[in-house]
Amino acid sequence: MTDEAENSAQEGFPKIDTSVPQSARIWNYWLGGKDNYEVDRVAGDAFRTIFPAIETGARAARYFLARAVRHLAAEEGIRQFLDIGTGLPNVDNTHQIAQRAVPECRIVYVDNDPLVLAHARALLTSTPEGVTNYVDADLREPSTILREAAKTLDFDKPVALMLMGILGHIEDYDEARSIVRELVEALPSGSYLVQYDSTNTSKSYVKAIQQYNDGGSVPYILRSPEQIAGFFDGLELLEPGVASCSRWRPDAGAWGLPAEVHQYGGVALKR
């Protein structure tokens, strides 16, 4: 959020903490957005000084989201999307991509950040044929998410579960896998898991994350590509499997990105 709008935003949403950087706002800054504070820009610049490739990785992850959603809606017949940890609205959000391909798609966004909530209510609109809704809930409360999402989505029909760059905020790997299992188990056959997170494949990335975590923000844990692949256990990965986001079925939108970034993800089918 621009500095001029800070006071009004804080008055309307007193839980917004502008004293420490926040990952969704920093990500928004790296992607060229304006929904961030000075503390986020300072942290984002400090991170970029150590790891200059972060903006490239952010763009690659965003293009991965777009390609995955478009593929599932246009090619796999998915009409329902549950996007947990949606982050701040940006260009081409999940509902826009899905409903552009198939207008009747239904999307539920989930987040627990008050600034995300404010923007979700204002900006996440829907086509007349489809539905877009928002649930204020924490990833650590999968039963709450599923209960609230069921008010919009039909869990007797396939759903695409999207966990985009969010599992790194669950510090314990076993807990993160348990959350994924509980969410996937609630989905019917024919559903998909779409997931990516940042990896520990770069020493400078590890150093930058350590500095970020030491700054008092909600920690983010970098994991190995093999650990990210573990989130898909029991599911059928689509080609090319778990890969650098820039390598997952690249198209014209990925032009200008390197062949390899340190964000890894995949898309998998529940049989």
Side-chain angles (χ1 to χ4, degrees), residues 36 40 68 76 215:
N36 47 75
D40 306 308
E76 302 294 349

Side-chain angles (χ1 to χ4, degrees), residues 76 158 184-185 187-193 232-238 268-271:
E76 302 294 349
V184 170
E185 284 173 1
L187 305 180
S189 176
S191 295
Y192 287 84
L193 170 63
F232 296 96
D233 280 357
L235 304 176
E236 183 178 309
L237 279 161
L238 303 188
L269 169 67
K270 179 180 179 179
R271 287 290 185 186

Side-chain angles (χ1 to χ4, degrees), residues 209-223:
I209 283 288
Q210 185 61 57
Q211 175 179 278
Y212 170 80
N213 292 346
D214 290 345
S217 302
V218 176
Y220 185 90
I221 307 303
L222 298 177
R223 296 192 165 107

Side-chain angles (χ1 to χ4, degrees), residues 50-218:
I50 299 173
F51 185 66
I54 187 57
E55 289 182 349
T56 300
R59 293 201 312 275
R62 195 71 187 175
Y63 288 138
F64 166 67
L65 179 154
R67 296 194 303 279
V69 170
R70 186 169 62 243
H71 173 78
L72 292 178
E75 304 297 332
E76 302 294 349
I78 296 298
R79 301 292 180 263
Q80 303 187 108
F81 294 82
L82 177 56
D83 188 341
I84 302 176
T86 179
L88 287 161
N90 212 302
V91 176
D92 271 357
N93 302 285
T94 297
H95 74 286
Q96 293 164 319
I97 300 163
Q99 292 178 345
R100 188 180 302 134
V102 182
E104 60 266 30
C105 283
R106 304 172 74 87
I107 294 88
V108 171
Y109 291 101
V110 181
D111 211 302
N112 69 337
D113 182 274
L115 188 58
V116 175
L117 175 61
H119 281 273
R121 287 173 172 166
L123 300 178
L124 300 182
T125 57
S126 176
T127 60
E129 303 92 336
V131 176
T132 302
N133 209 343
Y134 184 91
V135 172
D136 183 12
D138 192 286
L139 175 62
R140 293 176 176 84
E141 303 169 347
S143 60
T144 299
I145 291 171
L146 293 167
R147 183 186 69 245
E148 294 302 312
K151 297 176 181 178
T152 301
L153 306 178
D154 182 354
F155 281 90
D156 289 328
K157 298 178 180 179
V159 175
L161 169 64
M162 302 178 61
L163 298 168
M164 312 301 279
I166 189 67
L167 291 173
H169 287 301
I170 306 297
E171 295 185 59
D172 183 83
Y173 181 57
D174 290 336
E175 181 186 2
R177 292 190 65 178
S178 176
I179 290 170
V180 175
R181 279 196 302 271
E182 183 171 348
L183 291 167
V184 170
E185 284 173 1
L187 305 180
S189 176
S191 295
Y192 287 84
L193 170 63
V194 185
Q195 192 267 330
Y196 87 83
D197 264 297
S198 296
T199 65
N200 58 6
T201 48
S202 163
K203 290 183 179 179
S204 59
Y205 203 173
V206 172
K207 181 179 178 181
I209 283 288
Q210 185 61 57
Q211 175 179 278
Y212 170 80
N213 292 346
D214 290 345
S217 302
V218 176

